[in-house]
Amino acid sequence: MAKDRSSAGDPSRTLALLWREPGGAPAGGRGPRPGLSVDAVVRAALELADAEGLDAVSMRRVAQQLGVTPMTLYTYVPGKAELLDLMLDTLFQRMPRPVDAGAPWRERVTAVAEANRALHLAHPWVAALPATRPPLGPGLIAKYDHELSAFDGLGLPDLDLDAALAHLLDFVRSTARTALEARAAERDSTMSDADWWEANAPILAKVFDPERFPLATRIGAAAGEAHQGAYSADHAYEFGLRRVLDGFAALIAERAAGE
């Protein structure tokens, strides 16, 4: 759906809601219901998204969750697009801030990666969202400022700092999405990777002809034995993160040398 991305709602209302400024909720209609709040609406929507996925989140379903009518809900949030930004920013505010300023830079950057991977794996719907227009709320701004501190003091220009963080977060998001897809495949098939490979061993033995495909057979067998399946999300993340860090180290050295 077009609205299942960040920053798809009315910018003024969304920003007012994110920063809890007056005028964030729609004007007119009945007044706020005692005991209900924007935060309560967001919590209910988050529970739905985590339990059933983002497709389950609608103004009607959230209203049912809260025991109110959909029209009552619109007193607090204009629609699903704005609600989605509120949900994301709330998660960003809840994230741990693990960066230790005194730790080596690789440890600092790794801590940022780990925190974001944990976010995606705990809330799978987040990894599936387009991320080019994140909600500019207090949660995102605090997250951005904190995560940039992992790269601070490395002698990198500001544009490199921004690009390095974006590259790291793109890597984490990509590997998290693949991990979630693997998890979904295992759940839907009711078979682990090891079980699947064992069940299909006879036909796979015919397909993987070592004379026709020597590299695929040798390397595929080695990877399969190591991972007990065709793919290991943890290995892919750990291997990739080391390569990302090595790339940052090369960039730092280049900038220090004036290149």
Coordinates of all heavy atoms in Angstrom, one line a residue, residues 120-185:
H120 N 15.0 -4.6 14.2 CA 14.4 -5.3 13.0 C 13.9 -6.7 13.3 O 12.8 -7.0 12.9 CB 15.4 -5.3 11.8 CG 15.7 -3.9 11.3 ND1 14.7 -3.0 10.9 CD2 16.9 -3.3 11.0 CE1 15.3 -1.9 10.4 NE2 16.6 -2.1 10.5
L121 N 14.7 -7.4 14.1 CA 14.3 -8.8 14.3 C 13.1 -8.9 15.3 O 12.3 -9.8 15.3 CB 15.5 -9.6 14.8 CG 16.6 -9.8 13.8 CD1 17.7 -10.6 14.4 CD2 16.1 -10.4 12.5
A122 N 13.1 -7.9 16.2 CA 12.0 -7.8 17.2 C 10.7 -7.3 16.6 O 9.6 -7.6 17.1 CB 12.4 -7.0 18.4
H123 N 10.8 -6.4 15.6 CA 9.7 -5.8 14.9 C 9.8 -6.0 13.4 O 10.2 -5.1 12.7 CB 9.6 -4.3 15.3 CG 9.6 -4.1 16.8 ND1 8.5 -4.2 17.6 CD2 10.7 -3.7 17.6 CE1 8.9 -3.9 18.8 NE2 10.2 -3.6 18.9
P124 N 9.5 -7.2 12.9 CA 9.8 -7.5 11.5 C 9.2 -6.5 10.5 O 9.7 -6.3 9.4 CB 9.2 -8.9 11.3 CG 9.2 -9.5 12.7 CD 8.9 -8.3 13.6
W125 N 8.1 -5.9 10.8 CA 7.4 -5.0 9.9 C 8.3 -3.8 9.6 O 8.2 -3.2 8.5 CB 6.0 -4.6 10.4 CG 6.0 -4.0 11.7 CD1 6.0 -4.7 12.9 CD2 6.1 -2.6 12.1 NE1 6.0 -3.8 14.0 CE2 6.1 -2.5 13.5 CE3 6.2 -1.4 11.3 CZ2 6.2 -1.3 14.2 CZ3 6.3 -0.2 12.0 CH2 6.3 -0.2 13.4
V126 N 9.2 -3.4 10.5 CA 10.0 -2.2 10.3 C 11.0 -2.5 9.2 O 11.2 -1.6 8.4 CB 10.8 -1.9 11.6 CG1 11.7 -0.7 11.4 CG2 9.8 -1.5 12.7
A127 N 11.6 -3.7 9.1 CA 12.6 -4.0 8.1 C 12.0 -3.9 6.7 O 12.7 -3.7 5.7 CB 13.2 -5.3 8.4
A128 N 10.7 -4.2 6.6 CA 10.0 -4.2 5.3 C 9.6 -2.8 4.8 O 9.3 -2.7 3.6 CB 8.8 -5.1 5.4
L129 N 9.7 -1.8 5.6 CA 9.3 -0.5 5.2 C 10.4 0.2 4.4 O 11.6 0.1 4.7 CB 9.0 0.4 6.4 CG 7.7 0.0 7.2 CD1 7.7 0.9 8.4 CD2 6.5 0.3 6.3
P130 N 10.0 1.0 3.3 CA 10.9 1.9 2.7 C 11.5 2.9 3.7 O 10.8 3.4 4.5 CB 10.1 2.6 1.6 CG 8.9 1.7 1.4 CD 8.6 1.0 2.7
A131 N 12.8 3.1 3.6 CA 13.5 3.9 4.6 C 14.0 5.2 4.1 O 14.8 5.9 4.8 CB 14.6 3.1 5.3
T132 N 13.6 5.7 2.9 CA 14.3 6.9 2.4 C 13.7 8.2 3.0 O 14.3 9.2 2.9 CB 14.1 6.9 0.9 OG1 12.7 6.8 0.6 CG2 14.8 5.8 0.2
R133 N 12.5 8.1 3.6 CA 11.9 9.3 4.2 C 11.5 8.9 5.7 O 10.3 8.8 5.9 CB 10.7 9.8 3.4 CG 11.1 10.5 2.1 CD 9.8 11.1 1.5 NE 10.2 11.7 0.2 CZ 9.3 12.3 -0.5 NH1 8.0 12.4 -0.2 NH2 9.6 12.9 -1.7
P134 N 12.4 8.8 6.6 CA 12.1 8.5 7.9 C 11.3 9.6 8.6 O 11.5 10.8 8.3 CB 13.4 8.2 8.6 CG 14.4 9.0 7.8 CD 13.9 9.0 6.4
P135 N 10.5 9.3 9.7 CA 9.8 10.4 10.4 C 10.8 11.2 11.2 O 11.6 10.7 11.9 CB 8.9 9.6 11.3 CG 9.6 8.3 11.5 CD 10.3 8.0 10.2
L136 N 10.7 12.5 11.0 CA 11.6 13.5 11.7 C 11.1 13.8 13.0 O 10.9 15.0 13.4 CB 11.8 14.7 10.8 CG 12.4 14.4 9.4 CD1 12.5 15.7 8.6 CD2 13.8 13.8 9.6
G137 N 10.9 12.8 13.9 CA 10.5 13.0 15.2 C 11.6 13.0 16.2 O 12.8 12.8 15.9
P138 N 11.3 13.2 17.5 CA 12.4 13.2 18.5 C 13.1 11.9 18.6 O 14.3 11.9 19.0 CB 11.6 13.6 19.8 CG 10.2 13.2 19.5 CD 10.0 13.4 18.1
G139 N 12.4 10.8 18.4 CA 13.1 9.5 18.5 C 14.1 9.3 17.4 O 15.3 8.9 17.7
L140 N 13.8 9.7 16.2 CA 14.7 9.6 15.1 C 15.9 10.5 15.2 O 17.1 10.1 15.0 CB 14.0 9.9 13.7 CG 15.0 9.9 12.5 CD1 15.5 8.5 12.2 CD2 14.4 10.6 11.3
I141 N 15.6 11.8 15.6 CA 16.7 12.7 15.8 C 17.7 12.3 16.8 O 18.9 12.4 16.7 CB 16.2 14.1 16.1 CG1 15.2 14.6 14.9 CG2 17.3 15.1 16.2 CD1 15.9 14.6 13.6
A142 N 17.2 11.8 18.0 CA 18.0 11.3 19.0 C 18.8 10.1 18.6 O 20.0 10.0 18.9 CB 17.2 11.0 20.3
K143 N 18.2 9.2 17.8 CA 18.8 8.0 17.3 C 20.0 8.4 16.4 O 21.1 7.9 16.5 CB 17.8 7.2 16.6 CG 18.4 5.9 15.9 CD 17.2 5.2 15.3 CE 17.7 3.8 14.6 NZ 18.5 4.0 13.5
Y144 N 19.7 9.3 15.5 CA 20.7 9.8 14.5 C 21.9 10.4 15.2 O 23.0 10.1 14.9 CB 20.0 10.8 13.5 CG 20.9 11.3 12.4 CD1 21.5 10.5 11.5 CD2 21.0 12.7 12.3 CE1 22.3 11.1 10.5 CE2 21.8 13.3 11.3 CZ 22.4 12.5 10.4 OH 23.2 13.0 9.4
D145 N 21.6 11.3 16.1 CA 22.7 12.0 16.8 C 23.5 11.0 17.6 O 24.8 11.1 17.6 CB 22.1 13.1 17.8 CG 23.1 13.9 18.4 OD1 23.6 14.9 17.7 OD2 23.5 13.7 19.6
H146 N 22.9 10.1 18.2 CA 23.6 9.1 19.0 C 24.5 8.2 18.1 O 25.6 7.9 18.4 CB 22.6 8.3 19.8 CG 23.2 7.1 20.5 ND1 24.0 7.2 21.7 CD2 23.3 5.8 20.2 CE1 24.4 6.1 22.1 NE2 24.0 5.2 21.2
E147 N 23.9 7.7 17.0 CA 24.6 6.8 16.2 C 25.8 7.5 15.5 O 26.8 6.9 15.2 CB 23.7 6.2 15.2 CG 22.7 5.2 15.9 CD 21.6 4.7 15.0 OE1 21.4 5.2 13.9 OE2 20.9 3.7 15.4
L148 N 25.6 8.8 15.1 CA 26.8 9.5 14.5 C 27.9 9.6 15.5 O 29.1 9.6 15.1 CB 26.3 10.9 14.2 CG 25.5 11.1 12.9 CD1 25.0 12.5 12.8 CD2 26.3 10.7 11.7
S149 N 27.7 9.6 16.8 CA 28.8 9.6 17.8 C 29.7 8.4 17.7 O 30.8 8.5 18.2 CB 28.2 9.8 19.2 OG 27.6 8.6 19.6
A150 N 29.2 7.3 17.1 CA 30.1 6.2 17.0 C 31.2 6.4 16.0 O 32.3 5.8 16.1 CB 29.3 5.0 16.5
F151 N 31.0 7.4 15.1 CA 32.0 7.7 14.1 C 32.7 9.0 14.4 O 33.6 9.4 13.7 CB 31.3 7.9 12.7 CG 30.7 6.6 12.2 CD1 29.4 6.4 12.5 CD2 31.4 5.8 11.4 CE1 28.7 5.2 12.0 CE2 30.8 4.6 10.9 CZ 29.4 4.3 11.2
D152 N 32.4 9.7 15.5 CA 32.9 11.0 15.8 C 34.4 10.8 16.2 O 34.8 9.8 16.8 CB 32.1 11.6 16.9 CG 32.4 13.1 17.1 OD1 32.8 13.7 16.0 OD2 32.3 13.7 18.2
G153 N 35.2 11.8 15.8 CA 36.6 11.8 16.2 C 37.5 11.0 15.3 O 38.7 10.7 15.6
L154 N 37.0 10.5 14.2 CA 37.8 9.6 13.3 C 38.4 10.4 12.2 O 39.0 9.8 11.3 CB 36.9 8.5 12.7 CG 36.3 7.6 13.8 CD1 35.4 6.5 13.1 CD2 37.3 6.9 14.6
G155 N 38.2 11.7 12.2 CA 38.8 12.6 11.1 C 38.1 12.5 9.8 O 38.6 12.9 8.8
L156 N 36.8 12.1 9.8 CA 36.0 12.0 8.6 C 35.2 13.3 8.4 O 34.7 13.9 9.3 CB 35.1 10.8 8.6 CG 35.7 9.4 8.7 CD1 34.6 8.4 8.8 CD2 36.6 9.2 7.5
P157 N 35.1 13.8 7.1 CA 34.3 14.9 6.8 C 32.8 14.6 7.2 O 32.4 13.4 7.2 CB 34.4 15.1 5.3 CG 35.7 14.4 4.9 CD 35.8 13.3 5.9
D158 N 32.0 15.6 7.3 CA 30.6 15.5 7.7 C 29.9 14.6 6.7 O 29.1 13.7 7.1 CB 29.9 16.8 7.9 CG 30.4 17.5 9.2 OD1 31.1 16.9 10.0 OD2 30.0 18.7 9.3
L159 N 30.1 14.8 5.4 CA 29.4 14.0 4.5 C 29.7 12.5 4.5 O 28.9 11.6 4.3 CB 29.6 14.5 3.0 CG 28.9 15.8 2.6 CD1 29.3 16.2 1.2 CD2 27.4 15.7 2.8
D160 N 31.0 12.3 4.8 CA 31.4 10.9 5.0 C 30.8 10.2 6.3 O 30.4 9.1 6.3 CB 33.0 10.8 5.2 CG 33.7 10.9 3.8 OD1 33.0 10.9 2.8 OD2 34.9 11.0 3.8
L161 N 30.7 11.0 7.3 CA 30.0 10.5 8.5 C 28.6 10.1 8.3 O 28.2 9.0 8.7 CB 30.1 11.6 9.6 CG 31.4 11.9 10.3 CD1 31.3 13.1 11.2 CD2 31.9 10.7 11.0
D162 N 27.9 11.0 7.6 CA 26.5 10.7 7.3 C 26.4 9.5 6.3 O 25.6 8.6 6.6 CB 25.9 11.9 6.6 CG 24.4 11.7 6.2 OD1 23.5 11.6 7.1 OD2 24.1 11.5 5.0
A163 N 27.2 9.4 5.3 CA 27.2 8.3 4.4 C 27.6 7.0 5.0 O 27.1 5.9 4.7 CB 28.1 8.6 3.2
A164 N 28.6 7.0 5.9 CA 29.0 5.8 6.6 C 27.9 5.3 7.5 O 27.7 4.0 7.5 CB 30.3 6.1 7.5
L165 N 27.2 6.1 8.2 CA 26.1 5.6 9.0 C 25.0 5.1 8.2 O 24.5 4.0 8.5 CB 25.6 6.8 9.9 CG 24.4 6.4 10.8 CD1 24.7 5.2 11.7 CD2 23.9 7.6 11.6
A166 N 24.7 5.8 7.1 CA 23.6 5.3 6.2 C 24.0 3.9 5.6 O 23.1 3.0 5.5 CB 23.4 6.3 5.1
H167 N 25.2 3.8 5.2 CA 25.7 2.5 4.7 C 25.6 1.4 5.7 O 25.1 0.2 5.4 CB 27.2 2.6 4.2 CG 27.7 1.4 3.6 ND1 27.2 0.8 2.4 CD2 28.8 0.6 4.0 CE1 27.9 -0.3 2.2 NE2 28.9 -0.5 3.1
L168 N 26.0 1.6 6.9 CA 25.9 0.6 8.0 C 24.4 0.2 8.2 O 24.1 -1.0 8.3 CB 26.5 1.2 9.3 CG 26.4 0.3 10.5 CD1 27.3 -0.9 10.4 CD2 26.6 1.1 11.8
L169 N 23.5 1.2 8.3 CA 22.1 0.9 8.6 C 21.5 0.2 7.4 O 20.6 -0.7 7.6 CB 21.4 2.2 8.9 CG 21.8 3.0 10.1 CD1 20.9 4.2 10.4 CD2 21.9 2.0 11.4
D170 N 21.9 0.5 6.2 CA 21.4 -0.2 5.0 C 21.8 -1.7 5.0 O 21.0 -2.6 4.7 CB 21.9 0.4 3.7 CG 21.1 1.7 3.4 OD1 20.0 1.9 3.9 OD2 21.6 2.5 2.5
F171 N 23.1 -1.9 5.4 CA 23.6 -3.3 5.5 C 22.8 -4.1 6.6 O 22.4 -5.2 6.3 CB 25.1 -3.3 5.9 CG 25.5 -4.6 6.4 CD1 25.7 -5.7 5.6 CD2 25.8 -4.7 7.8 CE1 26.1 -6.9 6.2 CE2 26.2 -5.9 8.4 CZ 26.3 -7.0 7.5
V172 N 22.6 -3.5 7.7 CA 21.9 -4.1 8.8 C 20.5 -4.4 8.4 O 20.0 -5.6 8.6 CB 21.9 -3.3 10.1 CG1 21.0 -3.9 11.2 CG2 23.4 -3.2 10.6
R173 N 19.8 -3.5 7.8 CA 18.4 -3.7 7.4 C 18.3 -4.8 6.3 O 17.4 -5.6 6.4 CB 17.9 -2.3 6.8 CG 16.4 -2.4 6.3 CD 16.0 -1.0 6.1 NE 14.7 -1.0 5.4 CZ 14.6 -0.9 4.1 NH1 15.6 -0.9 3.3 NH2 13.4 -0.9 3.5
S174 N 19.2 -4.8 5.4 CA 19.2 -5.8 4.3 C 19.4 -7.2 4.9 O 18.6 -8.1 4.5 CB 20.3 -5.5 3.3 OG 20.4 -6.5 2.3
T175 N 20.4 -7.4 5.7 CA 20.6 -8.7 6.3 C 19.5 -9.1 7.2 O 19.1 -10.3 7.3 CB 22.0 -8.8 7.0 OG1 22.0 -7.7 8.0 CG2 23.1 -8.6 6.1
A176 N 18.9 -8.2 7.9 CA 17.7 -8.5 8.8 C 16.6 -8.9 8.0 O 15.9 -9.9 8.3 CB 17.4 -7.3 9.6
R177 N 16.3 -8.3 6.8 CA 15.2 -8.7 6.0 C 15.4 -10.1 5.5 O 14.4 -10.9 5.5 CB 15.1 -7.7 4.8 CG 14.5 -6.4 5.2 CD 14.3 -5.5 3.9 NE 13.2 -6.0 3.1 CZ 12.7 -5.3 2.1 NH1 13.2 -4.1 1.8 NH2 11.7 -5.8 1.4
T178 N 16.6 -10.5 5.1 CA 16.9 -11.8 4.6 C 16.7 -12.8 5.7 O 16.2 -13.9 5.5 CB 18.3 -11.9 4.0 OG1 18.5 -10.9 3.0 CG2 18.5 -13.3 3.4
A179 N 17.2 -12.4 6.9 CA 17.0 -13.3 8.1 C 15.5 -13.6 8.4 O 15.1 -14.7 8.7 CB 17.7 -12.7 9.3
L180 N 14.7 -12.5 8.3 CA 13.3 -12.6 8.5 C 12.6 -13.5 7.4 O 11.7 -14.2 7.7 CB 12.7 -11.3 8.6 CG 13.1 -10.4 9.8 CD1 12.7 -9.0 9.7 CD2 12.4 -11.0 11.1
E181 N 13.1 -13.3 6.2 CA 12.5 -14.2 5.1 C 12.8 -15.6 5.3 O 12.0 -16.5 5.1 CB 13.1 -13.7 3.8 CG 12.5 -12.3 3.3 CD 13.3 -11.7 2.2 OE1 14.3 -12.4 1.7 OE2 13.0 -10.6 1.7
A182 N 14.0 -15.9 5.8 CA 14.4 -17.3 6.1 C 13.6 -17.8 7.2 O 13.1 -19.0 7.2 CB 15.9 -17.4 6.4
R183 N 13.4 -17.0 8.2 CA 12.5 -17.4 9.4 C 11.1 -17.7 8.9 O 10.5 -18.7 9.3 CB 12.5 -16.3 10.4 CG 11.7 -16.6 11.7 CD 11.6 -15.4 12.6 NE 12.8 -14.9 13.1 CZ 13.0 -13.8 13.8 NH1 11.9 -13.1 14.1 NH2 14.1 -13.4 14.3
A184 N 10.6 -16.9 8.0 CA 9.2 -17.1 7.5 C 9.1 -18.3 6.7 O 8.1 -19.1 6.8 CB 8.8 -15.9 6.7
A185 N 10.1 -18.6 5.9 CA 10.1 -19.8 5.0 C 10.1 -21.0 5.9 O 9.4 -22.0 5.6 CB 11.3 -19.8 4.1

